[in-house]
């Protein structure tokens, strides 16, 4: 007999004479002549209740089953007469695969997120983290579906790169040189003797690769891990995170904002439709306003306004912010959240940022001061998307790189794309973990990624 997953079993909603279930014991309670065992197999939030009769030949062992033990159960699915569940399995056979001792850390009580982070290898076995990571899986699928339905091609951009896309210098170096004793030339490390013959690092963004492919395949996207050595201890930054980066040829900033709004709404509706059981757990235990937040995101038109207009609103707000706000300064999370949560009370898109706070590749506006950048801000989180129309005019791009002191030789191939058949094009990066925070109401980014990497923390 083939095993059936609990998710499938409960969906079919009809009795079955023979079922085989494999999973882990959540709880067990005994009553006269019976043991009731709650088994979960990770396929869904719900457990299935197993009724083990004292006539089972191994009942002695069964009645000692502890939380966390692995079991295989063959039996019959019947409508339950007891309260609390619609269906239960009358066990014909209970095979104990392995027993978990009492030292199993996930006994039946609520644990703090901080404690669970110290046992990140076990936390997916809890209801909350099981739900979070099932939603993460569904959301990944939904992203591919969104793009495929719109005829975007999926590109695998490299993990190891020789260029710094964002120009912010928050790079993890990749090297095979001996750290203590690297070869030197003129007093400096001689990277010509390194593995790639030059400096290499982990990618901070797949954008530059995506641009090359957009100018060949039209509409493309990447969806992969990115790495930033930012030493920021916030609840919204990790050193390794996943980013979704669409890039569209023949597309201006307006089209870019349209796609950003469409994908956020699509994914929110998708999760509301497909993950309701798991979402309800978060609405009950994590964020009471989750459902109204998600419905608001899915149904409202995102407010669009320029950076200059946003700065004016913040200055007039009368609110005391920790960081000053003035034209030319980057918006901080407190500013972003004020706008999304308090002022507009819905997602918004801010565009046309000052050029001095944005990377080299963003398209210069006619005012010579701002670039065609856009950020999408959502309630509770702040920035979830960052993107722009790209500078397609080679003279302007080269001038900008010179101003910023960038080594143009290293970017010869990027500049080539502006020499041969250059067209207006645009794209953005959607932070996948920030998206999950929005979907679940989880307020710390460390709790939406399986094994978070942050400064001084790389256990697991
Ligand atoms: O705004 P960012 O830096 O944009 C880029 O990397 C562009 N090259 C994207 C593009 O146009 N193709 O990052 C994009 C998003 C942010 O809005 C945020 O959601 C997320 O990536 N992000 C992080 N998420 C978690 N931890 C970090 N350290 C993050 N840094 C950025
Ligand atoms: Mg950004």
């Amino acid at each position: 007999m083939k095993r059936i997953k609990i998710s499938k079993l409960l969906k079919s909603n009809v009795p079955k004479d023979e079922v085989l279930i494999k999973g882990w014991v959540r709880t067990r309670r005994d009553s006269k002549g019976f043991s009731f065992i709650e088994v979960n197999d990770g396929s869904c939030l719900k457990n299935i209740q197993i009724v083990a009769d004292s006539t089972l030949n191994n009942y002695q062992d069964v009645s000692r089953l502890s939380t966390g033990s692995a079991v295989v159960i063959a039996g019959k699915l019947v409508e339950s007469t007891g309260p609390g569940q619609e269906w239960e399995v009358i066990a014909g056979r209970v095979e104990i695969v392995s027993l978990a001792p009492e030292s199993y850390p996930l006994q039946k009580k609520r644990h703090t997120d901080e404690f669970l982070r110290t046992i990140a290898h076990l936390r997916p076995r809890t209801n909350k983290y099981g739900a979070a990571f099932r939603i993460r899986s569904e959301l990944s699928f939904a992203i591919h579906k969104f793009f495929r339905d719109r005829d975007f091609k999926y590109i695998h951009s490299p993990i190891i790169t020789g260029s710094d896309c964002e120009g912010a210098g928050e790079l993890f170096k990749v090297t095979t040189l001996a750290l203590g004793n690297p070869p030197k030339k003129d007093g400096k490390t001689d990277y010509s003797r390194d593995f790639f013959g030059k400096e290499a690092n982990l990618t901070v963004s797949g954008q530059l690769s995506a641009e090359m492919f957009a100018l060949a395949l039209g509409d493309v996207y990447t969806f992969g891990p990115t790495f930033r050595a930012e030493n920021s201890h916030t609840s919204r930054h990790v050193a390794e995170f996943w980013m979704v980066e669409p890039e569209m040829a023949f597309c201006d900033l307006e089209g870019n904002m349209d796609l950003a709004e469409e994908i956020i709404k699509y994914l929110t509706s998708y999760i509301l439709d497909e993950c309701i059981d798991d979402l309800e757990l978060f609405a009950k235990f994590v964020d009471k306003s989750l459902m109204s937040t998600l419905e608001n995101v899915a149904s409202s038109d995102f407010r669009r306004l320029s950076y200059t207009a946003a700065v004016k609103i913040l200055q007039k707000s009368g609110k005391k912010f920790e960081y000053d706000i003035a034209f030319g300064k980057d918006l901080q999370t407190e500013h972003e959240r004020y706008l999304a949560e308090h002022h507009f009370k819905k997602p918004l898109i801010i565009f046309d940022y000052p050029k001095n706070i944005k990377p080299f590749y963003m398209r210069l506006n006619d005012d010579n001061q701002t670039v065609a950048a856009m950020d999408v801000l959502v309630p509770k989180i702040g920035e979830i998307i960052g993107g722009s129309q790209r500078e397609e005019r080679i003279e302007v791009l080269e001038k900008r790189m010179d101003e910023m002191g960038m080594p143009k030789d290293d970017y010869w191939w990027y500049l080539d794309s502006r020499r041969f058949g250059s067209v207006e094009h645009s794209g953005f990066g959607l932070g996948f973990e920030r998206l999950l925070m929005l979907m679940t109401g989880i307020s710390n980014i460390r709790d939406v990624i399986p094994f978070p990497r942050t400064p001084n923390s790389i256990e697991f």
Side-chain angles (χ1 to χ4, degrees):
M1 209 194 322
K2 221 179 138 229
R3 96 161 145 136
I4 183 162
K5 299 208 171 149
I6 295 171
S7 56
K8 207 160 172 200
L9 195 67
L10 295 177
K11 239 182 237 154
S12 71
N13 222 23
V14 282
K16 282 188 177 53
D17 282 345
E18 275 185 22
V19 293
L20 185 70
I21 290 160
K22 302 185 177 187
W24 293 270
V25 174
R26 281 295 174 80
T27 57
R28 197 204 72 244
R29 74 190 158 83
D30 299 321
S31 94
K32 236 190 249 138
F34 296 101
S35 219
F36 295 100
I37 313 163
E38 291 283 326
V39 171
N40 186 281
D41 67 0
S43 63
C44 60
L45 184 65
K46 288 203 174 87
N47 303 327
I48 188 94
Q49 170 162 284
I50 309 294
V51 184
D53 191 295
S54 57
T55 58
L56 288 171
N57 56 16
N58 63 343
Y59 188 72
Q60 276 260 314
D61 295 333
V62 170
S63 64
R64 281 201 292 268
L65 267 175
S66 50
T67 297
S69 298
V71 288
V72 173
I73 285 118
K76 204 164 128 171
L77 182 74
V78 299
E79 273 185 67
S80 176
T81 48
Q85 66 281 319
E86 274 182 74
W87 297 95
E88 61 191 16
V89 170
I90 310 295
R93 178 168 67 86
V94 176
E95 181 193 330
I96 301 169
V97 180
S98 72
L99 276 176
E102 253 172 57
S103 57
Y104 181 58
L106 297 173
Q107 300 299 333
K108 201 188 171 185
K109 66 167 189 155
R110 277 186 69 190
H111 300 282
T112 63
D113 294 323
E114 288 74 19
F115 170 69
L116 290 171
R117 252 171 249 151
T118 68
I119 52 165
H121 59 307
L122 298 176
R123 68 179 179 171
R125 301 186 190 190
T126 64
N127 282 342
K128 177 173 166 184
Y129 288 89
F133 293 115
R134 276 188 299 273
I135 293 177
R136 190 175 167 113
S137 169
E138 280 301 309
L139 207 49
S140 306
F141 173 78
I143 282 163
H144 288 299
K145 181 166 164 48
F146 174 87
F147 286 120
R148 190 162 191 275
D149 288 351
R150 286 158 186 76
D151 206 11
F152 279 62
K153 306 297 179 236
Y154 178 35
I155 306 300
H156 295 116
S157 50
I159 304 289
I160 303 176
T161 67
S163 57
D164 171 8
C165 169
E166 293 304 293
E170 289 144 350
L171 303 168
F172 286 104
K173 280 210 160 64
V174 176
T175 180
T176 52
L177 295 178
L179 283 181
N181 184 26
K184 300 243 168 157
K185 200 176 168 186
D186 306 329
K188 286 195 196 139
T189 302
D190 182 7
Y191 286 104
S192 71
R193 291 167 64 188
D194 202 349
F195 188 89
F196 298 106
K198 60 186 269 193
E199 278 190 75
N201 38 262
L202 294 178
T203 185
V204 294
S205 160
Q207 178 194 323
L208 304 191
S209 307
E211 281 188 55
M212 299 307 105
F213 275 75
L215 297 181
L217 305 185
D219 293 340
V220 301
Y221 70 105
T222 71
F223 180 15
T226 45
F227 308 86
R228 293 190 189 177
E230 295 168 289
N231 197 10
S232 43
H233 297 257
T234 79
S235 56
R236 312 180 323 142
H237 291 89
V238 271
E240 177 180 306
F241 62 99
W242 284 62
M243 216 197 310
V244 182
E245 296 184 273
E247 191 69 37
M248 294 167 285
F250 303 103
C251 177
D252 62 9
L253 189 67
E254 179 118 347
N256 203 23
M257 292 196 277
D258 290 344
L259 189 80
E261 180 166 345
E262 190 183 352
I263 194 172
I264 298 282
K265 286 179 170 168
Y266 173 90
L267 295 172
T268 309
S269 303
Y270 188 95
I271 292 303
L272 280 167
D273 288 346
E274 299 294 327
C275 300
I276 197 67
D277 284 355
D278 287 328
L279 276 187
E280 276 168 359
L281 176 144
F282 292 104
K284 201 163 159 197
F285 298 112
V286 175
D287 174 6
K288 298 259 186 279
S289 61
L290 181 66
M291 289 303 179
S292 60
T293 304
L294 294 183
E295 274 149 23
N296 178 1
V297 170
S299 66
S300 54
D301 288 334
F302 293 11
R303 181 61 195 266
R304 298 182 189 186
L305 74 165
S306 69
Y307 165 90
T308 308
V311 167
K312 282 202 185 114
I313 292 174
L314 291 165
Q315 284 171 331
K316 277 204 225 139
S317 70
K319 202 173 141 60
K320 264 236 146 314
F321 293 109
E322 193 183 328
Y323 292 88
D324 273 357
I325 184 75
F327 186 92
K329 286 196 174 161
D330 213 353
L331 300 183
Q332 302 294 326
T333 306
E334 55 173 347
H335 305 128
E336 296 171 347
R337 289 188 59 173
Y338 174 82
L339 291 168
E341 262 160 74
H342 300 286
H343 192 82
F344 293 112
K345 299 188 168 61
K346 63 178 183 176
L348 63 143
I349 309 182
I350 300 183
F351 56 87
D352 289 350
Y353 282 75
K355 66 175 180 184
N356 63 305
I357 54 170
K358 291 292 182 186
F360 73 98
Y361 53 72
M362 295 189 175
R363 192 178 196 280
L364 189 64
N365 287 324
D366 291 344
D367 61 12
N368 254 316
Q369 295 303 314
T370 60
V371 286
M374 62 112 183
D375 276 6
V376 178
L377 317 182
V378 294
K380 307 250 166 78
I381 292 159
E383 179 190 341
I384 193 166
I385 283 180
S388 69
Q389 184 172 338
R390 319 305 188 190
E391 185 55 77
E392 84 285 9
R393 299 162 296 185
I394 186 141
E395 336 70 65
V396 185
L397 184 59
E398 285 188 323
K399 188 161 167 258
R400 193 89 184 94
M401 292 176 83
D402 287 338
E403 274 169 18
M404 295 174 78
M406 291 181 63
K408 280 193 307 225
D409 288 352
D410 288 0
Y411 291 85
W412 65 272
W413 51 273
Y414 188 75
L415 291 165
D416 253 8
S417 68
R418 273 61 172 174
R419 281 192 191 100
F420 309 127
S422 188
V423 295
E424 63 174 8
H425 62 287
S426 301
F428 59 81
L430 163 60
F432 187 57
E433 283 72 26
R434 300 234 179 125
L435 181 68
L436 263 156
M437 292 169 73
L438 174 69
M439 297 298 170
T440 57
I442 289 178
S443 58
N444 194 316
I445 197 165
R446 292 167 183 78
D447 299 336
V448 295
I449 188 162
F451 298 108
R453 272 84 178 90
T454 51
N456 293 316
S457 163
I458 189 154
E459 196 69 45
F460 313 107

